[in-house]
Amino acid sequence: MSTPKNVLGEPLELCSESPKTGFTRSGSCETGPQDLGSHTVCARVTQAFLEYSKSRGNDLMTPIPEFDFPGLKPGDRWCLCAARWQEALEAGCAPRVALRATHERALEVCSMADLKRHAADLS
């Protein structure tokens, strides 16, 4: 199996171990055929984004202990669904992105130009 790549064509970096993120809860935004939501964008969530996501039916703030989900707070890094990040971008509340930890599959939904404009890890 090949090493997952990020949107820069490099090996995919870890997004977050605390809280543990990713479709497979590996800490990485790796993906596969089972990940229908494409949880591929590594973002540092903001209060505005969390409130927006909740308004769209996905409450990421409330803990769900039975799924080992602690609930997110502003500043946490999390693997977001690419379509939700794109939707938040269009609504004016997209969080910053860690390009080195964002899976290349995110480019199926998001443009590289938009991701770069919101990059937290480019100098």
Side-chain angles (χ1 to χ4, degrees):
M1 187 165 201
S2 63
T3 302
K5 300 275 191 230
N6 63 30
V7 294
L8 302 171
E10 302 165 345
L12 184 65
E13 292 184 6
L14 190 71
C15 182
S16 176
E17 292 239 317
S18 182
K20 190 77 111 168
T21 191
F23 180 74
T24 61
R25 292 300 189 264
S26 66
S28 167
C29 295
E30 62 195 3
T31 189
Q34 318 88 324
D35 181 12
L36 301 179
S38 187
H39 295 76
T40 52
V41 176
C42 179
R44 185 168 304 280
V45 298
T46 61
Q47 187 65 37
F49 172 78
L50 291 169
E51 289 173 11
Y52 175 76
S53 186
K54 184 175 182 179
S55 78
R56 302 295 296 149
N58 188 18
D59 180 0
L60 296 171
M61 296 179 281
T62 302
I64 308 172
E66 59 269 26
F67 291 110
D68 200 27
F69 178 68
L72 301 180
K73 61 188 180 314
D76 286 342
R77 283 179 35 150
W78 195 249
C79 294
L80 301 178
C81 292
R84 179 54 45 98
W85 185 87
Q86 185 66 37
E87 188 179 281
L89 174 71
E90 292 166 11
C93 61
R96 305 279 291 171
V97 174
L99 295 178
R100 291 179 176 88
T102 295
H103 193 279
E104 64 186 350
R105 187 171 161 208
L107 295 173
E108 294 173 8
V109 177
C110 309
S111 78
M112 186 61 154
D114 287 338
L115 291 169
K116 280 185 172 180
R117 271 195 302 280
H118 288 79
D121 59 347
L122 287 183
S123 40

